[in-house]
């Protein structure tokens, strides 16, 4: 009987890793086939410990040829493909083998690629590595080979197998010169391949690994532009790589635009949210970054579709949050996140450095040592030496000495003690070492990081011993270091251009507080503009702020870089010199030195210093938002300025701020009249956006539509903020107005007001959650009778209809032209609801038939227009009709030009009744007609109802039916809308003002309402 599964490998010079690979599969696979393509090391010898024969194959510059040769030697029913630098968990492999099913030709597995110096970064991708041993299934392509089936479609399943790959470690890539080999094979493949998109993607990877970001980006863009289909796994990876390239090139705005598009397609992938946070961190938008990273950590279950790296889900967010909270001096949170990052990746030096910086500033030596021991951070000499160097760099010499005493190698211990003496300005130990030891021993302590060449140069600069200078000069091999020494120790320095090395020396003197040596270096360097500002930056960093400011002020501002402006503004702000800080911000903007921190300081200055408020803060804020679109922190600070600028009304009472909760553009038009009236009465109004809508595919399109609408909203008298930003900043509105209850409203306002958005669907509209509201603004007796609990309701009319009753709506001629209205035909407005109560499924063909004799305008419900689940209905409408709108602003104009309104279970029924339209209701076949005697049912009974099969044309032509209908509906109009004078918005505004001013204390007057609320909501 043939073996079930054969492992097929091609190898060449893999003596370092082959045993690890074969040990991981031994006893699990049934057969091992190893093909060697020309090894010159012990690879074959190792392989023969596991197999009886190793097959030789003459390399043809084609991985596919070698793979297919290996397949030809396999006898198993299935083949597993692995490389020597890969390995598996045996239990995982066995489980994956047990899962193999014959309904598939091949299986895709997950591959974790370890990269960096120590495998500290994990990049993942998927590949076809298990397939049927069938002559019709073979590999093609010279590199990045792919399986193909010569007859029929290759049916692919998903396997639980995970391969671990160490071939992208920096040392391996360099040792094997993979980049050069891969580029040669790729260019060969591209000369005859039809899949150039995939080739460009792989070429981009090669350029990226070599650090040629511009070329990598060019290749990735070509790959994406020529992609055959979005569903290919490499395409999403390509998008991630495009963003990484843009970040490296500091093209942040372009990167954010790509992320915005990518999040619509890959909404459950953590990669893009994390990359957005990384950009915000790079831009110093710390609060915006915190929002992204904390949401990833808190809602991991929503982001399980990892594209390129599992690090994007936890490790990167924790590391970034550690950095941010350290900068913001929130040390408790910083320590937590740095520790979590180290738990996930023990090689994270940035987290380790940040953690030790905080601990050494705040804890005693014994606590720090205890922390290191408790977390098992030192396990070998490599770790020990790393910590000694780290503590020396942090000027924590006592702790460094504690660990130096634990070094068991006498020479290395002496080397670290020399470094510790140098840090105190004592050169005697190093002088003695050089005079009594060999060059080999000197090289040994340099190689182990006890001292470095810069220590030796500073030592020479201090000592001025010509013989030692010559010794060190002959020891040095790097050309830049030789130039540095010539510059420092001779007068021949006209061509010297190694400011980076000079800065390392300067930082070393500041790090060890050796001001005398710093002064000597400064005297040698002089006042060259190129080096002066970076030195001042180092002085500012090491808390010699006044001295740094003096240097800055002696340099012409035309030479200032961003860090100069930021340091100056920060210094003057902290010193209370607001005018000086303001002047530097204006100068920075005039020189187009754009940085987020400068705009943040501008807003903070305006808030804290009255003396600076003569500038145009609105213009500065507009510039800020043009560069940093969507910054919640800037928006919040600006909102405080706008609130502060009109702090008191003319009567001396405080100005109140009312929020209006929006989840769709429709809500804005419900509120519009009330907002206008409140503004006229001196009340601040904010639009409060439920940004949690963007996280779910069902509502994300609605959110996008709302954000686009707000960006184009032509008014500057109101501001818009997101729920998450308001909650993060613990801001509370005097009152929040909403159309219905949402749990996001609980903690962001002192008072809650409901504005009716419609009257349809009694069971929802008049549900239990109405007890949440302190006041409900009703249209008329219809909704008042259902909602009133001991006078918490008040009838104001329908504010949305103020425009209708005052005849203030869009130009009708423009609307007619927009929808190509034929004046010789009557016009039908078809406005179906969404979901299972919609008439679209049953009646759309009947509506289409009417186009021969009527102008048909389709007004899509916002649910149909934007919900993911409504896509097929949306496409059905767009495919069949040209005159389609989901615009929430054109309702009354459409009523004005329409002769008939056809609907179903939509709330537009009540709008059409109030507008006294000719109405027809279409009942879906799935609808069960209610007989509960409610007013909604009774009103629907007064409107002409049609069942599937009824002839629409007969009803449309019978004018007497509509005359009778209007007569019967006349009696209910007052019940639906008590006021028809166009002043409902004003009445609603007065009720909101009375509530927030405490003129009628509902807390005292309505104990029953509050007892209900406490039982239901717990507050």
């Amino acid at each position: 009987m043939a073996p079930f599964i054969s492992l097929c490998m091609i190898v060449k010079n893999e003596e370092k890793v082959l045993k690890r690979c074969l040990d991981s599969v031994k006893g699990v696979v049934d057969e091992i086939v190893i093909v060697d393509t020309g090894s010159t090391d012990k690879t074959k010898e190792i392989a023969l410990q596991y197999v009886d024969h190793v097959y030789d194959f003459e390399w043809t510059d084609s991985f596919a040829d070698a793979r297919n040769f290996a397949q030809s030697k396999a006898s198993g029913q299935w083949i597993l493909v692995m490389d020597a630098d890969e390995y598996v968990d045996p239990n995982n492999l066995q489980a994956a083998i047990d899962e193999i099913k014959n309904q598939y030709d091949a299986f895709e597995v997950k591959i974790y690629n370890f990269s960096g110096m120590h495998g500290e970064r994990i990049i993942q991708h998927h590949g076809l590595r298990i397939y049927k041993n069938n002559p019709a299934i073979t590999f093609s392509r010279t590199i990045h080979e792919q399986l193909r089936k010569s007859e029929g479609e290759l049916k692919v399943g998903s396997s639980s197998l995970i391969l671990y790959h160490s071939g992208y470690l920096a040392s391996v890539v360099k040792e094997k010169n993979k980049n050069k080999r891969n580029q040669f094979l790729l260019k060969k493949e591209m000369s005859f391949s039809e899949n150039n998109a995939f080739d460009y993607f792989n070429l981009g990877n090669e350029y990226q690994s070599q650090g040629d970001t511009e070329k990598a980006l060019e290749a990735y863009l070509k790959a994406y532009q020529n992609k055959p289909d979005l569903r290919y796994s490499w395409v999403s990876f390509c998008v991630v790589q495009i963003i990484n390239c843009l970040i490296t090139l500091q093209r942040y705005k372009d990167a954010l635009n790509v992320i915005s598009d990518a999040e619509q397609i890959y909404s459950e992938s953590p990669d893009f949210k994390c990359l957005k946070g990384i950009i915000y961190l790079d831009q110093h938008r710390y609060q915006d970054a915190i929002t992204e990273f904390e949401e990833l950590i808190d809602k991991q279950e929503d982001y399980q579709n990892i594209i390129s790296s599992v690090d994007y889900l936890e490790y990167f967010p924790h590391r970034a949050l550690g950095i941010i909270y350290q900068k913001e001096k929130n040390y408790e949170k910083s320590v937590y996140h740095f520790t979590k990052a180290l738990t996930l990746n023990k090689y994270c030096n940035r987290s380790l450095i940040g953690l030790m910086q905080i601990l050494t500033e705040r804890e005693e030596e014994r606590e720090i040592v205890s922390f290191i021991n408790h977390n098992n951070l030192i396990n070998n000499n490599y770790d020990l030496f790393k910590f000694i160097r780290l503590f020396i760099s942090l000027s924590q010499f006592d702790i460094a000495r504690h660990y130096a005493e634990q070094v068991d190698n006498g020479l290395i211990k002496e080397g670290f003690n020399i470094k510790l003496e140098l840090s105190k300005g004592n050169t005697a130990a190093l002088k003695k070492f050089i005079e009594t030891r060999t060059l080999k021993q000197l090289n040994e302590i340099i190689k182990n990081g006890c001292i470095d060449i810069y220590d030796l140069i500073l030592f020479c600069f201090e000592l001025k011993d010509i013989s030692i200078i010559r010794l060190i000069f002959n020891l040095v091999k790097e050309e830049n270091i030789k130039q540095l020494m010539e510059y420092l120790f001779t007068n021949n320095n006209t061509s010297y251009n190694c400011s980076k090395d000079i800065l390392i020396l300067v930082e070393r003197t500041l790090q060890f507080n050796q001001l005398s040596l710093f002064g000597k270096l400064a005297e040698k360097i002089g006042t060259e503009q190129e080096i002066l500002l970076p030195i001042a930056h180092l002085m500012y960093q090491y808390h010699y702020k006044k001295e740094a400011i003096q240097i800055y002020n002696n340099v012409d501002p035309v030479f200032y870089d961003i860090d100069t402006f930021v340091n100056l503004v920060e210094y003057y702000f902290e010193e209370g010199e607001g005018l000086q800080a303001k002047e530097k911000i204006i100068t920075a903007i005039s020189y187009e030195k754009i940085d987020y921190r400068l705009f943040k300081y501008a807003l903070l200055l305006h808030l804290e210093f009255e003396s600076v408020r003569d500038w145009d803060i609105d213009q500065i804020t507009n510039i800020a938002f043009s560069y940093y679109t969507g910054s919640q922190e800037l928006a919040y600070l600006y909102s405080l300025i706008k609130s502060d600028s009109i702090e008191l009304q003319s009567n001396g009472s405080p100005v109140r701020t009312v929020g209006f909760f929006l989840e769709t553009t429709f809500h804005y038009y419900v509120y519009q009249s009330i907002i206008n009236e409140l503004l006229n009465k001196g009340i601040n109004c904010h639009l409060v956006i439920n940004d949690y809508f963007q996280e779910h595919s069902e509502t994300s399109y609605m959110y996008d539509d709302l954000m686009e609408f707000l960006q184009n909203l032509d008014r500057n008298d109101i501001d818009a903020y997101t729920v998450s930003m308001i909650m993060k900043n613990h801001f509370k509105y005097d009152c929040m107005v909403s159309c219905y209850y949402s749990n996001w409203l609980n903690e962001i306002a002192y008072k809650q007001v409901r504005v009716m958005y419609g009257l349809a669907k009694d069971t929802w509209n008049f549900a239990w959650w109405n007890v949440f509201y302190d006041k409900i603004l009703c249209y008329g007796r219809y909704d008042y009778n259902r909602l009133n609990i001991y006078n918490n309701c008040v009838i104001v009319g329908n504010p949305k209809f103020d425009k209708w009753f005052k005849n203030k709506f869009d130009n009708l001629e423009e609307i007619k032209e927009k929808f190509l209205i034929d004046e010789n035909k009557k016009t039908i407005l078809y406005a179906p609801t969404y979901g299972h109560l919609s008439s679209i499924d049953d009646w759309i063909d009947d509506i289409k038939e009417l186009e021969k004799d009527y102008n048909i305008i389709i007004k899509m419900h916002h649910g149909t227009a934007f919900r993911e689940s409504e896509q097929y209905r949306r496409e059905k409408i767009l495919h069949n009709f040209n005159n389609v709108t989901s615009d929430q602003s054109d309702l009354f104009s459409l009523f004005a030009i329409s002769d008939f309104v056809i609907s179903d279970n939509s709330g537009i029924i009540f709008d059409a009744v109030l507008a006294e339209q000719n109405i027809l209701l279409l009942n879906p076949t799935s609808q069960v007609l209610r007989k509960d005697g409610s007013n909604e049912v009774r009103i629907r009974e007064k409107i002409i109802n049609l069942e599937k099969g009824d002839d629409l044309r007969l009803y449309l032509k019978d004018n007497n039916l509509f005359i009778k209908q209007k007569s019967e509906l006349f009696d209910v109009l007052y019940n639906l809308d008590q006021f028809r004078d166009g002043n409902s918005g004003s009445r609603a505004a007065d009720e909101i003002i009375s509530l927030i001013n405490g003129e009628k204390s509902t807390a005292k007057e309505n104990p029953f309402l509050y007892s209900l609320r406490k039982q239901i909501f717990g507050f």
Side-chain angles (χ1 to χ4, degrees), residues 20 23 40 96 159 187 190 217 262 330 344 350 463-464 594 626 764 780 855 865 999:
R20 180 187 66 184
D23 280 343
T40 56
S159 171
K187 288 176 180 177
M190 292 173 79
L217 178 60
N330 189 335
L344 295 162
R350 180 62 186 85
L463 204 62
K464 304 294 186 188
I594 303 302
S626 70
W764 160 254
N855 298 306
E999 295 170 13

Side-chain angles (χ1 to χ4, degrees), residues 904-959:
D904 41 39
N905 293 282
S906 172
I908 205 172
I909 301 168
F910 294 91
D911 291 334
V913 170
L914 291 179
E916 302 183 59
Q917 300 291 292
N918 297 322
I919 311 169
L920 291 177
L921 296 185
L922 308 179
N923 292 320
T925 55
S926 60
Q927 181 165 336
V928 177
L929 293 178
R930 288 163 49 196
K931 300 290 184 181
D932 54 18
S934 67
N935 271 7
E936 180 181 6
V937 171
R938 289 201 294 270
I939 290 167
R940 287 182 63 89
E941 288 174 348
K942 294 177 183 293
I943 302 173
I944 303 166
N945 280 247
L946 279 69
E947 304 298 330
K948 182 61 180 172
D950 290 342
D951 190 338
L952 268 170
R953 291 177 181 274
L954 290 178
Y955 287 88
L956 291 169
K957 290 177 180 177
D958 191 343
N959 193 47

Side-chain angles (χ1 to χ4, degrees), residues 521-534:
L521 270 177
E523 186 178 342
K524 174 66 180 178
I525 294 166
T527 58
E528 295 177 20
Q529 300 279 6
E530 180 186 352
I531 195 71
L532 210 53
L533 285 178

Side-chain angles (χ1 to χ4, degrees), residues 280 285-293 596 630-633:
Y280 290 159
R285 297 168 60 174
Y286 300 136
Q287 289 302 318
D288 297 328
I290 286 171
T291 299
E292 302 300 327
F293 292 130
Y596 180 85
S631 172
Q632 297 181 17
E633 185 178 30

Side-chain angles (χ1 to χ4, degrees), residues 273-320:
K273 195 168 191 64
C274 186
L275 287 167
K276 189 195 299 182
I278 289 169
I279 291 171
Y280 290 159
L281 175 56
D282 287 352
Q283 292 181 317
H284 311 285
R285 297 168 60 174
Y286 300 136
Q287 289 302 318
D288 297 328
I290 286 171
T291 299
E292 302 300 327
F293 292 130
E294 287 192 340
E295 190 170 322
L296 265 178
I297 292 169
D298 294 342
K299 298 183 178 180
Q300 291 183 39
E301 66 279 1
D302 294 339
Y303 298 98
Q304 291 299 311
N305 183 23
I306 297 165
I307 292 173
S308 63
S309 176
V310 70
D311 291 338
Y312 285 125
L313 188 59
E314 281 192 273
Y315 165 53
F316 287 161
H318 279 299
R319 185 184 69 177

Side-chain angles (χ1 to χ4, degrees), residues 480-491:
N480 63 307
I481 302 298
K482 285 184 177 293
Q483 288 182 26
L484 173 63
M485 293 188 69
E486 287 180 358
Y487 171 75
L488 291 174
F489 302 121
T490 71
N491 295 320

Side-chain angles (χ1 to χ4, degrees), residues 819-829 850-851 853-857 883:
F819 292 110
L820 304 174
I821 298 301
D822 183 347
E823 298 287 357
N824 297 315
K825 295 180 180 179
K826 289 188 175 183
T827 299
I828 295 172
L829 175 64
L850 297 175
E851 270 196 319
D853 303 305
Y854 296 90
N855 298 306
I856 304 293
I857 301 174
N883 291 340

